[in-house]
């Protein structure tokens, strides 16, 4: 017996986590269509939304709601079906389920119950933006949505101010301007950034500018304050001529120096903090002399 993806089938069903388009319906993959047509049930974040997508592609599989308010409780119902041998596909309104979308509890419960969980990858706004941003993409962190109010947002931004990896945020259009304002205040106006707006859609924007200029660009055009947005911010790097290292980098270095030889501690601290190894090596030598 084989399941909908062609793999040999066990007696329990498989939970497929299926990505759907983030705007452009042509981004629906052939594999996603096959899985959605073949499973017994589609667990959807919003059935009214997903039914339109299914109708567009001529898929008649029954849908059931799996949103953040019922996910924990209703998860049991889906699990019963999976354990009885039915395959289920999980979809969200757009993009990859679980990425700032429901699905985590169901996937966790399914895995805990020994049910096979299979990803069917596709569109994801953060990955689409990163792939075209021209910002370092070898290491990045996804911070999801920031708090809605300025105080909370700035506090969260402060936590990642000296993060060397590229930062990725989702933001609602009615907050984009104040969000960029706070980013500028915390990270500085010169930090490279990119606004990915309405990705894959007719009025797609990918605007890469330093934060101060990006804020001015969005403020000057109300069209840029509409639609769906991803904001990318380049990671922190110590200015070349800066001799002092951050408190956090110093703390990491001190902890490692207590356990490791100087050279190894400096190298590891550089990897962890993103601060140049030479700078940390000098700081370690100075500390050794002073001790
Ligand atoms: N699961 C989705 C994914 O894989 O990207 C994200 C769902 S989250 C509820 C919705 C947020 O994702 C939007 O507020 C926006 O920040 C971002 N987003 C979704 N589609 C987008 C698009 N076409 N262009 C830019 N950002 C998008």
């Amino acid at each position: 017996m084989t399941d909908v993806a062609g793999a040999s089938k066990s007696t329990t069903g498989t939970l497929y986590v299926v990505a759907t388009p983030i705007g452009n319906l042509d981004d629906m993959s052939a594999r996603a269509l096959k899985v959605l047509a073949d499973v017994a049930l589609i667990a959807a974040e919003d059935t009214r939304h997903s039914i339109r997508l299914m109708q567009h592609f001529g898929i008649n599989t029954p849908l059931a709601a799996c949103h953040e308010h019922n996910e924990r409780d209703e998860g049991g119902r889906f699990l019963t079906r999976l354990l009885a041998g039915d395959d289920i596909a999980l979809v969200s309104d757009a993009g990859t389920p679980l990425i700032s979308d429901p699905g985590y509890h169901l996937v966790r419960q399914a895995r805990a119950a020994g049910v096979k969980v299979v990803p069917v990858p596709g569109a994801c706004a953060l990955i689409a933006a990163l792939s075209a941003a021209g910002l370092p993409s070898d290491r990045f962190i996804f911070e999801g949505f920031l708090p809605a109010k300025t105080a909370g947002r700035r506090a969260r931004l402060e936590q990642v101010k000296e993060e060397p990896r590229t930062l990725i945020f989702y933001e609602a259009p009615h907050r984009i301007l104040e969000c960029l304002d706070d980013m500028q205040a915390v990270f500085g106006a010169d930090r490279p950034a990119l606004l990915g707006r309405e990705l894959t859609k007719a009025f797609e924007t990918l605007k890469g500018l330093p934060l101060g200029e990006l804020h001015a660009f969005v403020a000057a055009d109300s069209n840029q304050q509409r639609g769906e947005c991803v904001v990318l911010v380049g990671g922190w790097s110590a200015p070349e001529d800066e001799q002092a290292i951050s408190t956090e980098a110093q703390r990491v270095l001190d902890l490692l120096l207590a356990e490791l030889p100087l050279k190894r501690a400096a190298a590891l601290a550089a990897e962890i903090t993103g601060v140049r190894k030479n700078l940390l090596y000098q700081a370690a030598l100075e500390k050794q002399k002073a001790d």
Side-chain angles (χ1 to χ4, degrees):
M1 212 172 165
T2 57
D3 66 9
V4 297
S8 65
K9 181 144 176 66
S10 57
T11 46
T12 57
T14 297
L15 177 63
Y16 293 93
V17 184
V18 182
T20 56
I22 55 169
N24 190 327
L25 294 183
D26 286 345
D27 290 337
M28 189 73 150
S29 78
R31 182 170 172 230
L33 288 175
K34 179 166 168 38
V35 167
L36 291 170
D38 290 354
V39 290
L41 183 71
I42 298 172
E45 178 182 5
D46 180 344
T47 52
R48 287 163 309 171
H49 179 96
S50 293
I51 200 136
R52 290 198 294 275
L53 186 73
M54 300 311 148
Q55 278 167 352
H56 175 85
F57 288 108
I59 291 168
N60 300 314
T61 309
L63 285 112
C66 177
H67 45 69
E68 58 179 335
H69 304 297
N70 78 348
E71 197 192 336
R72 262 178 230 244
D73 309 331
E74 293 294 301
R77 192 159 61 95
F78 296 121
L79 213 52
T80 307
R81 296 274 308 256
L82 287 161
L83 292 171
D86 284 338
D87 291 331
I88 295 181
L90 171 69
V91 298
S92 61
D93 286 355
T96 303
L98 278 82
I99 307 301
S100 294
D101 266 344
Y104 163 70
H105 297 290
L106 179 58
V107 167
R108 195 170 50 86
Q109 286 170 5
R111 290 184 64 85
V115 169
K116 189 172 167 192
V117 181
V118 173
V120 181
C124 179
L126 77 102
I127 298 297
L130 181 66
S131 71
L135 288 168
S137 53
D138 51 342
R139 296 168 78 214
F140 60 90
I141 61 164
F142 175 52
E143 281 286 306
F145 286 97
L146 287 163
K149 299 211 173 106
T150 285
R153 192 161 48 226
R154 288 199 183 195
R156 179 80 67 80
L157 293 172
E158 283 290 345
Q159 288 172 5
V160 290
K161 185 179 173 174
E162 292 189 354
E163 167 59 58
R165 294 168 288 186
T166 297
L167 301 154
I168 306 179
F169 305 89
Y170 282 167
E171 190 50 281
H174 61 279
R175 281 198 287 269
I176 188 66
L177 207 50
E178 35 186 291
C179 171
L180 289 172
D181 198 30
D182 289 340
M183 286 180 168
Q184 189 182 183
V186 174
F187 299 142
D190 297 334
R191 191 77 86 88
L194 175 127
L195 172 66
R197 205 182 58 82
E198 293 289 88
L199 296 172
T200 78
K201 303 183 199 176
F203 297 103
E204 178 179 82
T205 308
L206 281 146
K207 192 74 178 172
L209 285 171
L211 272 171
E213 291 176 44
L214 188 60
H215 179 271
F217 168 78
V218 174
D221 181 357
S222 60
N223 284 327
Q224 300 301 328
Q225 298 160 37
R226 300 199 180 101
E228 299 192 280
C229 316
V230 190
V231 181
L232 274 69
V233 179
W236 179 81
S237 55
E240 280 300 307
D241 58 352
E242 190 176 284
Q243 289 310 305
I245 60 173
S246 71
T247 326
E248 176 60 8
Q250 186 69 56
R251 194 181 71 83
V252 172
L253 180 64
D254 290 348
L255 283 172
L256 293 169
L257 277 171
E259 304 291 335
L260 297 168
L262 188 143
K263 211 170 161 185
R264 182 83 190 115
L268 259 185
E271 261 192 50
I272 294 167
T273 62
V275 176
R276 277 186 304 128
K277 195 161 64 184
N278 281 351
L279 218 55
L280 289 162
Y281 187 69
Q282 288 308 321
L285 278 177
E286 270 159 27
K287 185 176 159 57
Q288 210 172 48
K289 267 192 241 153
D291 284 348

